[in-house]
């Protein structure tokens, strides 16, 4: 049973370009969370999605950032017009979504974004 | 406002010793407290988790102690090994399918 998959693992963009980060949850998981980790910092929640729905985007910047989790395919975190401050590791986590003891979040390996 | 405070920031322990990492939270609605281990270049991996209805949970060499009245919880690593050298994060959530709030992490180095 494959774990959470993220690609690309490393992404380099120049200021002003777009970054697209992909996340495929674990098999059977219908809930996806995106977190951002700055150097020497803990992970900060960005957005929580279920299939075709954004449940909570309270941690996501209002501008330039968007996320989706379509009915088919991976979840996408999109950053438009990247700036140097967007350089970070972006982690995706998935959970089964049935609540209770099944609310464990399993993390992917992350995408390390570098903005030049 | 940091909702989960973690200490120490870094920790050096002799092989075979006990590593202790502490966390304090503010939100009394939190009812799920996991610990994650992260190696350089990797994603966080769940180590052990506890809910407020118990004061202690042990899995192998790892133990969580939970003090609900003090709003504190800690991770104890017994017989620490060099392979335990990693960054450890405590976290908290409202349970169910809710986002995790992480501490800033503790970088543990276990030296022979």
């Amino acid at each position: 049973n494959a774990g959470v998959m993220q690609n690309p693992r490393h992404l380099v963009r120049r200021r002003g370009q777009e970054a697209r980060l992909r996340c495929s949850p674990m098999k059977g998981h219908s809930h996806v969370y995106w977190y951002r980790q700055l150097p020497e910092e803990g992970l900060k929640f960005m957005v929580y999605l279920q299939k075709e729905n954004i449940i909570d985007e309270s941690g996501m910047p209002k501008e330039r950032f968007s996320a989706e989790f379509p009915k088919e395919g991976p979840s996408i975190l999109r950053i438009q017009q990247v700036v140097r401050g967007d350089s970070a590791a972006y982690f995706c986590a998935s959970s089964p979504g049935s609540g209770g003891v099944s609310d464990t979040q399993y993390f992917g390996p992350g995408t390390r974004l570098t903005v030049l | 406002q940091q909702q989960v405070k973690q200490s120490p920031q870094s920790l050096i322990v002799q092989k075979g010793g006990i590593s202790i990492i502490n966390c304090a939270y503010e939100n009394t609605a939190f009812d799920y407290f996991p610990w994650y281990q992260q190696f350089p270049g990797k994603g966080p991996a769940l180590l052990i988790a506890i809910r407020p209805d118990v004061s202690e949970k042990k899995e192998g060499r790892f133990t969580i102690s939970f003090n609900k009245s003090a709003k504190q919880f800690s991770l104890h690593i017994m017989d620490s090994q060099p392979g335990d050298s990693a960054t450890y994060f405590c976290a908290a959530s409202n349970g169910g399918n809710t986002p995790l709030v992480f501490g800033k992490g503790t970088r543990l180095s276990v030296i022979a």
Side-chain angles (χ1 to χ4, degrees):
Chain A
N1 187 12
V4 178
M5 300 179 71
Q6 291 187 247
N7 66 81
R9 295 291 308 277
H10 300 274
L11 182 62
V12 179
R13 285 287 178 266
R14 295 191 180 280
R15 282 179 295 169
Q17 291 184 319
E18 179 180 287
R20 282 189 180 229
L21 289 62
R22 296 175 188 79
C23 169
S24 295
M26 286 179 69
K27 186 177 181 180
H29 287 192
S30 59
H31 294 227
V32 165
Y33 305 79
W34 286 93
Y35 294 84
R36 177 165 62 178
Q37 184 177 36
L38 295 170
E40 307 301 322
E41 292 281 329
L43 286 80
K44 295 280 198 303
F45 166 72
M46 299 181 73
V47 61
Y48 162 37
L49 310 101
Q50 295 178 24
K51 286 283 188 182
E52 300 184 279
N53 286 303
I54 295 175
I55 307 302
D56 181 353
E57 56 182 348
S58 59
M60 199 150 70
K62 295 288 188 287
E63 298 180 355
R64 302 188 298 108
F65 285 73
S66 62
E68 63 178 10
F69 189 14
K71 188 176 181 180
E72 301 290 338
S75 175
I76 307 285
L77 179 67
R78 182 184 179 202
I79 311 173
Q80 294 178 289
Q81 299 175 320
V82 296
V83 300
R84 289 217 173 106
D86 296 332
S87 296
Y90 292 82
F91 291 95
C92 165
S94 73
S95 70
S98 54
V101 296
S102 301
D103 52 10
T104 299
Q105 294 181 26
Y106 298 89
F107 283 80
T111 293
R112 278 143 187 90
L113 172 65
T114 301
V115 179
L116 302 178
Chain B
Q1 183 183 10
Q2 186 181 355
Q3 295 192 54
V4 177
K5 293 185 178 180
Q6 183 172 348
S7 63
Q9 191 172 0
S10 62
L11 182 61
I12 299 174
V13 173
Q14 292 277 350
K15 179 183 175 182
I18 302 174
S19 304
I20 302 174
I21 304 171
N22 301 298
C23 284
Y25 63 97
E26 299 164 5
N27 187 347
T28 54
F30 287 153
D31 72 349
Y32 175 66
F33 303 89
W35 284 88
Y36 283 84
Q37 179 189 57
Q38 185 180 31
F39 292 103
K42 305 292 185 183
L46 179 68
L47 200 58
I48 186 173
I50 198 168
R51 294 181 185 275
D53 52 345
V54 296
S55 60
E56 186 174 283
K57 182 176 182 180
K58 183 176 181 179
E59 289 184 2
R61 295 186 295 111
F62 301 94
T63 300
I64 299 180
S65 297
F66 185 82
N67 186 330
K68 187 174 181 178
S69 61
K71 293 187 286 185
Q72 295 176 345
F73 58 110
S74 59
L75 176 69
H76 295 230
I77 306 174
M78 312 299 287
D79 188 26
S80 299
Q81 299 297 313
D84 297 330
S85 297
T87 300
Y88 292 80
F89 293 96
C90 62
S93 78
N94 294 353
N97 296 299
T98 57
L100 292 167
V101 179
F102 283 86
K104 289 194 171 185
T106 296
R107 183 174 292 181
L108 171 66
S109 297
V110 181
I111 56 176

